[in-house]
């Protein structure tokens, strides 16, 4: 692995750019002046889902999608492919913050988002392994969190069963103490889904451009929005900025959407015996403690492990970032090999980093940008974006067209996130907070590195 490279996901080992299976052809950059009915910046899952649903609802629209690089080059192609319910903070915290009725709707919206992505995969011919997702605990901190969440699910009359250690052991041969079971989840190749959406958009007449980072958004109360790129401009009465943490450099009033780097590793394809011990292709096991490692199997039998460390890369030099990245990969590999004796000698073939965007309250931001009529922003799924990103695209398409069936807004359908003091003297405080989460995750993962129960 090259020291300074972010690595290549296991989805397409032959593609050095990590574009994923079935990547689209190279895209032209934005040159000169371009006009459209709707402009979408960002060819990840949010942006492409927006364009796809717009073209489905109103085929006559002239839609242009522009990406700084290419489809699936960012977070949408570098995730770990866990498709499960979750939006915002844990359910018990959501109840305290927003009330029981809103918390129930939030959970059901995330469950519906999972179902829609499974349907979309079927429609686009993207392989998707149906399964279960277990949020499990092997530490006192994790058990306390699970107990609070289980009580909240019961009070909300939501069907999220509690699993005892034996229940979990029947599914996967790892000694967790307890867990919460989310049924009807899935695992998939996120880059393949993103690339399939890009191809579907092209087939519907959407124009795609790549290699064009957004530099500035111009236009005010009485001016049509104008998007500036290095070699040209794009004008459209309606624009969607699906740029996640990339919004930070645009000076728009959307609050703080902070970019973090997260990490994953994948093994060589495991033998049949090891696969049977670690579940099946559709099963994912996630620790209840934030940042603690989680794992899943791919369709070809590789074990993917993610989590463990989150880095705040802004203001960190390239060499130090590379050193921290190597440390993060090393920790994941240690945890992986200690997960089960069958993994002691397995080869780790892929290591990669990806970006997520987080907010102070754990909720995404999806809404119109204040003071910029016709401009909408979507981002900040806090690491739970695979299902919700596609759902946000559908929501944005309906809202832009003024459809009567636009879903009733939920707490994350808003114009801005809370502000965080993430620059200047306050940056060490942010790093200290991440370090505290990291220490908690280490304690949660500790039993994996000791004797097996």
């Amino acid at each position: 692995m090259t020291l300074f490279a972010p690595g290549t996901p296991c989805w397409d080992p032959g593609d050095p750019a990590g574009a994923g299976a079935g990547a689209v052809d190279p895209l032209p950059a934005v040159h000169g002046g371009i006009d459209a009915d709707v402009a979408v910046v960002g060819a990840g899952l949010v942006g492409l889902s927006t364009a796809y649903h717009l073209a489905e609802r109103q085929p006559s629209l002239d839609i242009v999608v522009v990406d700084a690089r290419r489809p699936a080059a960012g977070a949408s192609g570098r995730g770990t492919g866990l498709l499960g319910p979750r939006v915002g903070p844990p359910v018990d915290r959501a109840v305290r913050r927003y009330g029981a009725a809103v918390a129930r709707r939030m959970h059901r919206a995330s469950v519906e988002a999972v179902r829609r992505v499974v349907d979309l995969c079927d429609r686009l011919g993207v392989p998707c392994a149906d399964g279960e997702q277990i949020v499990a605990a092997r530490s006192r901190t994790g058990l306390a969190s699970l107990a609070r969440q289980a009580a909240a699910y019961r009070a909300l009359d939501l069907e999220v069963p509690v699993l005892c250690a034996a229940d979990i052991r029947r599914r996967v041969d790892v000694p967790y103490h307890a867990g919460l079971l989310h049924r009807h989840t899935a695992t998939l190749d996120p880059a393949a889904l993103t690339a399939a959406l890009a191809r579907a958009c092209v087939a519907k007449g959407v124009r795609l451009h790549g290699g064009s980072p957004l530099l500035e958004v111009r236009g005010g109360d009485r001016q049509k929005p104008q998007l500036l790129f290095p070699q040209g401009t794009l004008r459209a009465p309606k624009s969607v900025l699906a740029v996640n943490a990339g919004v930070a450099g645009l000076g728009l009033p959307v609050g703080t959407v902070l970019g973090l780097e997260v990490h994953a590793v994948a093994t060589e394809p495991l033998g049949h015996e090891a696969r049977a011990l670690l579940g099946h292709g559709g099963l994912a096991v996630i620790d209840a403690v934030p940042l603690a490692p989680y794992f899943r199997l791919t369709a070809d039998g590789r074990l993917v492990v993610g989590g463990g460390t989150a880095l705040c890369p802004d203001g960190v030099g390239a060499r130090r970032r590379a050193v921290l990245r190597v440390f993060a990969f090393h920790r994941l590999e240690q945890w992986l090999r200690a997960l089960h004796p069958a993994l002691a000698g397995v080869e780790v073939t892929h290591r990669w980093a990806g970006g997520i965007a987080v907010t102070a309250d754990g909720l995404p931001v999806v809404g119109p940008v204040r003071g910029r009529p016709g401009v909408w922003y979507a981002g900040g799924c806090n690491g739970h974006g695979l299902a919700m990103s596609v759902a946000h695209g559908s929501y944005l398409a309906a809202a832009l067209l003024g459809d009567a069936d636009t879903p009733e807004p939920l707490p994350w359908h808003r114009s801005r996130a809370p502000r965080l003091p993430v620059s200047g003297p306050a940056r060490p405080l942010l790093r200290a907070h991440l370090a505290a989460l990291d220490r908690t995750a280490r304690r949660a993962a500790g039993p994996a590195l000791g004797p097996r129960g």
Side-chain angles (χ1 to χ4, degrees):
M1 180 185 68
T2 303
L3 181 63
F4 292 97
T8 303
C10 63
W11 320 124
D12 188 0
D15 180 1
V24 296
D25 293 333
L27 302 174
V30 173
H31 283 281
I34 298 176
D35 290 282
D37 295 323
V38 181
V40 178
V41 181
L45 286 172
V46 175
L48 291 170
S49 174
T50 301
Y52 176 84
H53 287 99
L54 278 169
E56 272 209 328
R57 289 170 179 266
Q58 195 165 316
S60 62
L61 281 176
D62 181 16
I63 305 165
V64 172
V65 177
V66 183
D67 195 82
R69 288 178 287 172
R70 64 183 182 281
S76 294
R78 303 184 69 82
T80 47
L82 275 63
L83 182 64
R86 172 76 186 266
V87 60
V91 63
D92 57 306
R93 202 176 305 161
V95 170
R96 293 196 303 272
R97 193 179 294 171
Y98 308 112
V102 172
R104 185 183 298 108
R105 286 177 52 228
M106 289 171 64
H107 176 77
R108 287 178 172 168
S110 70
V111 171
E112 174 64 13
V114 171
R115 186 192 67 78
R116 289 186 176 222
V117 172
V118 172
D119 290 346
L120 181 64
C121 287
D122 184 57
R123 216 158 49 241
L124 299 180
V126 176
C128 182
D130 295 335
E132 299 173 330
Q133 195 171 97
I134 302 172
V135 179
R138 57 195 313 163
S139 67
R140 286 193 296 271
T141 302
L143 283 171
S145 176
L146 282 187
R148 293 191 298 269
Q149 293 180 57
Y153 283 126
R154 285 195 302 272
L156 296 175
D157 196 26
L158 296 171
E159 188 182 355
V160 182
V162 175
L163 301 181
C164 67
D167 293 329
I168 299 174
R169 208 65 178 261
R170 281 191 286 271
R171 290 169 167 83
V172 56
D173 188 28
V174 178
Y176 287 94
H177 299 315
L180 294 173
L181 178 65
H182 295 283
R183 297 190 176 100
H184 310 302
T185 66
T187 58
L188 55 89
D189 171 347
L193 173 58
T194 311
L197 265 174
R199 293 192 301 272
C201 284
V202 171
K204 292 179 179 294
V206 175
R207 292 185 282 163
L208 265 62
H209 293 267
S212 301
L214 180 62
L215 303 178
E216 186 181 350
V217 180
R218 291 182 179 173
D221 292 339
R222 298 182 180 179
Q223 295 178 309
K224 180 188 294 186
Q226 187 175 23
L227 310 177
L228 275 65
F229 301 93
Q231 301 177 67
T233 59
L234 174 55
R235 294 175 297 272
K238 297 179 181 179
S239 300
V240 173
L241 308 181
V243 294
N244 225 4
V247 74
L250 299 175
L252 298 175
V254 298
T256 301
V257 183
L258 179 68
L260 297 180
E261 181 178 289
V262 291
H263 310 88
V265 299
T267 69
E268 63 186 332
L270 305 177
H272 293 296
E273 182 179 348
R275 295 188 202 186
L277 292 169
L278 293 167
H280 53 83
L283 177 71
V285 181
I286 304 169
D287 200 289
V289 173
L291 294 187
Y294 59 87
F295 65 92
R296 57 158 288 207
L297 286 169
T298 63
D300 62 349
R302 300 175 187 272
L303 187 71
V304 173
V305 174
T309 302
L311 305 179
C312 186
D314 290 348
V316 177
R319 182 170 294 276
R320 176 158 175 75
R321 188 189 308 184
V323 170
L324 292 171
R325 188 179 287 159
V326 170
F327 171 73
F329 292 143
H330 177 68
R331 280 187 58 195
L332 282 178
E333 289 182 40
Q334 280 190 310
W335 188 88
L336 181 155
R337 297 187 193 285
L339 185 65
H340 196 282
L343 299 172
V346 71
E347 181 183 358
V348 173
T349 56
H350 294 78
R351 305 163 183 86
W352 70 97
I356 62 171
V358 300
T359 61
D361 58 5
L363 288 175
V365 179
V366 182
V369 178
R370 291 176 182 172
R372 302 295 179 114
V375 179
W376 289 62
Y377 167 76
C381 282
N382 294 269
H384 304 286
L386 184 49
M388 294 311 301
S389 291
V390 176
H392 291 158
S394 177
Y395 174 87
L396 284 166
L400 288 172
L401 296 176
D403 287 1
D405 63 346
T406 302
E408 182 182 353
L410 284 162
W412 61 91
H413 298 301
R414 54 189 179 161
S415 293
R416 62 184 302 147
R419 287 201 61 80
L420 274 172
V422 295
S423 60
R427 181 162 290 278
L429 298 177
L430 173 65
R431 292 211 173 98
H433 174 65
L434 290 175
L437 287 175
D438 183 66
R439 288 192 295 271
T440 303
R442 280 176 182 249
R443 290 193 293 270
L449 305 179
R452 288 172 51 77

